[in-house]
Amino acid sequence: MNTLRLLLYYIIASAVFAFDASAVSVRLSGKSGSRAVMINPPASTGLNAVYVVPASEGISAEISGTSSNAEWYIFDSRGAAFAELLTDHETLSADKGYIIEDSGSKFYFWITDWSKAPFIAGNLEIETSDCSSTELIFTGEAQRLSYQTITGRTMEIDREIILSYFTLEQNGETAAFNQIIQTRSLPFINERISLPSPLCSTRFILTGDRFLQEWNQEIEIQSGILTPTAVSAAVSVEQLQRDALNEQKNGDSSFGGSAPVDMIFRAAVSDAVVFTEWQISTDPEFINIILRERSPEWDYTFNESGTYYVRFMCANASGECDWFSDNYMVSIGESRLRCPNAFSPGASEGVNDEWKVSYKSIISFECHIFNRLGVKMAELHDPSQGWNGKYKGSFVKPGVYYYVIKALGADGKKYNLSGDINIVGSRSR
């Protein structure tokens, strides 16, 4: 029989929802004159509204949008299928559902009594705080508030109790921290509150709930001051770029390439950090750490070929809490050095008008250029430099010249090179 009755209710309800109940307005007041707080429930509940009243006594309703012929029904936690006709609706009861039917349209609402699960002030104490989480103990009360749907299903009401405290947040992509207020909305509170450990000294503040705020009776509870133990860091890694066109570079965007590779390492740390260290290893597991640097700001040049891994770590005073950055891979290529044998200085500007070696990972370089008589035409001390075909400010004559190069690669390879330079099409003057 109950199953048949429930099925009949669903059929009727489906038809009812075709009507517009938005014209109906219900305002509830308690005995003290405090207005009920209305909540818009999900459509799946079948309810048009949920009202939270401060107490169950003396609830009165102001109704608009219905005629004098409207009929009232009341139902309990079993659902609207068990609704009964209500002849006297001057005073309503909490923790009940109601139906207002007028000209075939129905308005469904539920009343929840806040006083059955009040927000009662108590102490807010810091029980534990470790590297990852902090546990707070609340000695007051703020249990679950709920209502029933038209099918008798229990739904939770979000009390919107706000927990706020300070912590640190990384400033975008830079190696810096900003202090921010962290807020967390709690639908209810059991005895314990768990949250990520703050990164700076702070108090924890509970305010609410949303209903007390509406009734101008908001509660604020503060904890003592937390001294942080958790640690973190904001890290940035940058490679300085060179614009020498004759230097062979990596084809991708990874760190490294042609030595020397100049790197800038920067780290900002949270308040509890007392130990910092940059580490360079030859393996990604950091078993073989070849270099350590304690300063959080570090400029370093890679001069030897190979693959290196860099990371930053920090720890608090006890060493119980530590933090490690991502691994940054730096690949330094093997050396290369090739010398052109001809160029045409002054013949066509920007086109083969300067003699330069093509190189990669050359960390020491010395080049001397002579004419046939052994007179030194130019001297270069950086592989990015070139000879423009001039001697004492004027272009030399076309012909054969000679270079002698001594260089050292990042891989330890020594270069002792010599050869011809043919100047063709020079504009002598």
Side-chain angles (χ1 to χ4, degrees):
M1 183 64 182
N2 288 344
T3 303
L4 181 60
R5 191 174 183 179
L6 188 59
L7 178 60
L8 178 62
Y9 165 74
Y10 276 125
I11 294 172
I12 295 172
S14 299
V16 166
F17 288 142
F19 293 90
D20 182 14
S22 61
V24 179
S25 174
V26 178
R27 299 185 68 189
L28 302 182
S29 300
K31 189 174 182 180
S32 63
S34 298
R35 293 286 186 184
V37 179
M38 191 190 80
I39 298 171
N40 292 314
S44 61
T45 65
L47 296 171
N48 299 96
V50 173
Y51 297 92
V52 178
V53 295
S56 59
E57 297 84 8
I59 304 170
S60 60
E62 299 176 25
I63 311 297
S64 62
T66 63
S67 69
S68 59
N69 296 323
E71 292 185 326
W72 284 67
Y73 297 85
I74 186 171
F75 63 93
D76 56 24
S77 60
R78 294 175 297 172
F82 296 89
E84 297 178 354
L85 184 65
L86 184 66
T87 56
D88 179 12
H89 51 80
E90 293 297 323
T91 302
L92 305 181
S93 300
D95 299 319
K96 298 289 184 180
Y98 294 88
I99 307 170
I100 304 175
E101 183 175 6
D102 189 18
S103 301
S105 181
K106 294 183 179 181
F107 184 88
Y108 297 82
F109 65 94
W110 182 271
I111 302 176
T112 292
D113 180 4
W114 180 90
S115 67
K116 287 189 176 180
F119 185 17
I120 300 175
N123 294 326
L124 186 62
E125 302 169 356
I126 302 168
E127 183 182 48
T128 60
S129 184
D130 57 25
C131 305
S132 58
S133 64
T134 294
E135 296 281 334
L136 305 178
I137 298 295
F138 176 56
T139 62
E141 293 184 17
Q143 297 301 313
R144 295 175 187 267
L145 281 174
S146 62
Y147 63 91
Q148 306 295 133
T149 71
I150 61 172
T151 60
R153 185 160 58 100
T154 301
M155 300 289 288
E156 186 176 297
I157 296 174
D158 186 356
R159 306 185 70 136
E160 296 182 8
I161 302 169
I162 303 301
L163 175 68
S164 58
Y165 57 95
F166 286 105
T167 188
L168 301 179
E169 181 180 66
Q170 185 173 353
N171 181 14
E173 297 299 321
T174 64
F177 276 115
N178 290 334
Q179 188 178 78
I180 62 167
I181 296 178
Q182 191 75 41
T183 60
R184 183 175 173 183
S185 181
L186 306 173
F188 63 94
I189 305 177
N190 286 326
E191 181 184 4
R192 294 178 180 272
I193 303 173
S194 298
L195 64 149
S197 290
L199 297 174
C200 62
S201 297
T202 186
R203 292 182 186 272
F204 298 93
I205 302 174
L206 275 178
T207 55
D209 59 12
R210 65 191 286 192
F211 307 106
L212 288 178
Q213 187 176 30
E214 287 281 345
W215 301 325
N216 297 316
Q217 300 174 35
E218 185 176 34
I219 293 174
E220 180 177 295
I221 307 163
Q222 294 191 16
S223 74
I225 297 177
L226 169 78
T227 299
T229 57
V231 296
S232 185
V235 173
S236 71
V237 176
E238 180 185 358
Q239 177 176 339
L240 298 181
Q241 301 297 326
R242 295 186 293 272
D243 58 1
L245 298 179
N246 58 323
E247 184 176 18
Q248 301 172 31
K249 300 179 176 64
N250 280 3
D252 55 32
S253 59
S254 61
F255 293 119
S258 175
V261 171
D262 298 314
M263 304 286 294
I264 299 175
F265 301 103
R266 296 289 183 267
V269 296
S270 61
D271 293 2
V273 171
V274 297
F275 177 84
T276 63
E277 185 174 85
W278 287 98
Q279 301 171 347
I280 298 180
S281 174
T282 56
D283 62 277
E285 292 77 26
F286 285 78
I287 297 173
N288 182 34
I289 298 176
I290 60 175
L291 190 61
R292 301 174 187 267
E293 171 58 43
R294 292 291 305 274
S295 173
E297 298 187 1
W298 185 32
D299 298 342
Y300 183 74
T301 300
F302 291 87
N303 280 316
E304 296 184 11
S305 63
T307 299
Y308 303 92
Y309 300 89
V310 185
R311 72 180 181 185
F312 179 78
M313 70 86 57
C314 59
N316 64 358
S318 67
E320 294 178 355
C321 298
D322 54 22
W323 182 91
F324 292 86
S325 73
D326 293 335
N327 291 357
Y328 300 93
M329 186 174 72
V330 182
S331 296
I332 309 300
E334 296 181 348
S335 65
R336 298 174 189 169
L337 185 59
R338 297 175 182 174
C339 304
N341 59 10
F343 74 118
S344 53
S348 179
E349 186 175 353
V351 179
N352 196 31
D353 58 355
E354 190 172 17
W355 183 88
K356 286 185 176 181
V357 300
S358 175
Y359 71 97
K360 183 176 184 179
S361 292
I362 298 298
I363 60 174
S364 176
F365 181 82
E366 185 176 337
C367 174
H368 302 275
I369 299 173
F370 305 91
N371 64 10
R372 288 188 174 185
L373 300 176
V375 178
K376 185 185 293 185
M377 301 286 101
E379 184 175 325
L380 311 174
H381 295 278
D382 190 298
S384 65
Q385 296 174 337
W387 180 39
N388 59 6
K390 289 183 178 181
Y391 176 66
K392 293 184 178 181
S394 300
F395 287 103
V396 300
K397 295 180 179 180
V400 179
Y401 295 80
Y402 305 94
Y403 66 83
V404 176
I405 293 176
K406 288 187 176 182
L408 177 65
D411 50 4
K413 184 176 180 179
K414 296 180 179 180
Y415 293 85
N416 292 289
L417 304 176
S418 61
D420 300 339
I421 302 174
N422 294 288
I423 294 182
V424 294
S426 173
R427 184 173 61 196
S428 301
R429 57 184 178 182

